[in-house]
């Protein structure tokens, strides 16, 4: 199983709900990169998207693409290509200084609070010189990028959400531990829509305790994912 596949994938639907849909373009890759479309009336906002055959046709069922947002400085993925195809900008958090406008091969707009008029607001997860990550939350749906995920290598036995291997020893806390989402959509793996708040809080609370056996269990995956991080 490759860590990360290249090229356009296929539209494998996940996480469908009244307010949007997701897809995994390369289901056979270890990283299980997940993309999401958030629907606001006739507008569709894409989050950390990976391109896929047929994605435009699927999105057209929900409305017109209004913008593409990147939540993590290593998640440029195919945001620029998709944005240019739909003649919309790539939206970056105002504080994402690790990713400059020049690093994105498409027009860029900066957002500091709400994503358009969707009701989704940015929540800063981590801000260091090399790791700058935000989440989106509208009171019901939490969209995460990297620190929390559901790909197999994120999960200890029995978990449905987990903290990424790189952050297990030092998991994020505020604001994620203050939220009560009805569903969590992840940048890696299929999201969680039952007892989502409970799974989120448990993942944050137990991350350090499960870190040693997770590192032993997934050491090869961890090494490969760190090498591939800059290509995400």
């Amino acid at each position: 199983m490759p860590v990360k596949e290249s090229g356009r994938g296929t539209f494998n639907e996940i996480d469908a709900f009244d307010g949007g849909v997701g897809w995994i373009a390369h289901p056979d890759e270890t990283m299980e990169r997940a993309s999401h479309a958030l629907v606001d009336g006739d507008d569709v906002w894409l989050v950390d998207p990976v391109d896929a055959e047929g994605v435009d046709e699927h999105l057209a069922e929900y409305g017109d693409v209004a913008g593409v947002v990147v939540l993590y400085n290593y998640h440029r993925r195919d945001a620029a290509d998709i944005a240019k195809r739909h003649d919309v900008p790539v939206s970056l958090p105002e504080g994402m200084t690790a990713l400059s406008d020049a690093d994105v091969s498409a027009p860029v707009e900066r957002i500091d609070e709400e994503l358009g008029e969707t009701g989704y607001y940015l929540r800063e997860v981590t801000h260091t010189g090399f790791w700058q990550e935000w989440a989106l939350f509208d009171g019901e749906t939490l969209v995460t990028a990297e620190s929390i995920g559901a790909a197999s290598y994120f999960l200890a036995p029995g978990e449905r959400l987990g903290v990424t291997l790189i952050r297990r020893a030092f998991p994020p806390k505020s604001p994620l531990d203050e939220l009560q989402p009805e569903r969590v959509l992840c940048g890696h793996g299929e999201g969680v829509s039952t007892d989502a708040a409970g799974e989120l809080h448990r993942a944050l609370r137990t991350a350090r305790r499960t870190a040693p056996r997770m590192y032993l269990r997934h050491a090869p995956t961890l090494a490969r994912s760190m090498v591939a991080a800059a290509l995400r």
Side-chain angles (χ1 to χ4, degrees):
M1 178 182 293
V3 174
K4 172 181 175 290
E5 293 188 357
S6 59
R8 292 187 87 187
T10 55
F11 189 91
N12 298 279
E13 183 177 304
I14 59 168
D15 297 337
F17 69 109
D18 288 345
V21 69
W23 69 95
I24 293 180
H26 300 284
D28 293 329
E29 68 179 13
T30 301
M31 296 176 74
E32 297 179 53
R33 291 169 298 159
S35 313
H36 290 92
L38 305 177
V39 180
D40 176 38
D42 293 328
D43 291 337
V44 179
W45 290 82
L46 307 184
V47 183
D48 293 353
V50 177
D51 209 355
E53 296 290 343
V55 66
D56 293 342
E57 291 76 11
H58 283 280
L59 296 176
E61 299 175 8
Y62 295 89
D64 297 322
V65 174
V68 180
V69 60
V70 173
L71 295 179
Y72 175 47
N73 58 294
Y74 290 111
H75 272 194
R76 282 180 292 176
R77 295 179 172 178
D78 297 316
D81 289 343
I82 295 174
K84 288 188 291 187
R85 200 160 69 227
H86 290 274
D87 194 25
V88 297
V90 174
S91 297
L92 302 179
E94 188 68 45
M96 189 181 282
T97 55
L99 190 60
S100 71
D101 294 7
D103 292 326
V104 180
S105 57
V108 170
E109 69 172 11
R110 294 281 175 167
I111 54 176
D112 59 1
E113 290 186 355
E114 187 178 8
L115 180 64
E117 297 180 354
T118 62
Y120 283 91
Y121 286 83
L122 289 170
R123 299 296 187 104
E124 186 177 281
V125 176
T126 300
H127 194 283
T128 67
F130 67 92
W131 190 305
Q132 297 178 2
E133 179 187 359
W134 280 256
L136 289 168
F137 188 54
D138 70 346
E140 296 181 356
T141 302
L142 174 65
V143 187
T144 68
E146 186 71 17
S147 291
I148 298 290
S152 58
Y153 68 96
F154 276 71
L155 306 177
E159 289 185 339
R160 291 188 294 138
L161 282 177
V163 174
T164 182
L165 286 168
I166 300 173
R167 300 208 58 186
R168 279 264 166 175
F170 301 97
K173 294 295 184 181
S174 178
L176 297 182
D177 60 354
E178 302 167 0
L179 306 180
Q180 297 289 331
E182 294 182 7
R183 67 186 59 82
V184 178
L185 311 180
C186 307
H188 295 270
E190 189 168 349
V192 171
S193 59
T194 57
D195 191 27
E199 286 293 313
L200 173 65
H201 298 158
R202 181 212 43 72
L204 297 171
R205 186 178 63 252
T206 64
R208 286 185 178 177
R209 186 168 71 244
T210 57
R213 58 192 171 99
M214 285 293 289
Y215 289 144
L216 290 173
R217 179 182 182 186
H218 294 290
T221 299
L222 176 60
R224 292 195 300 268
S225 65
M226 292 179 70
V227 170
L231 303 176
R232 281 181 285 191

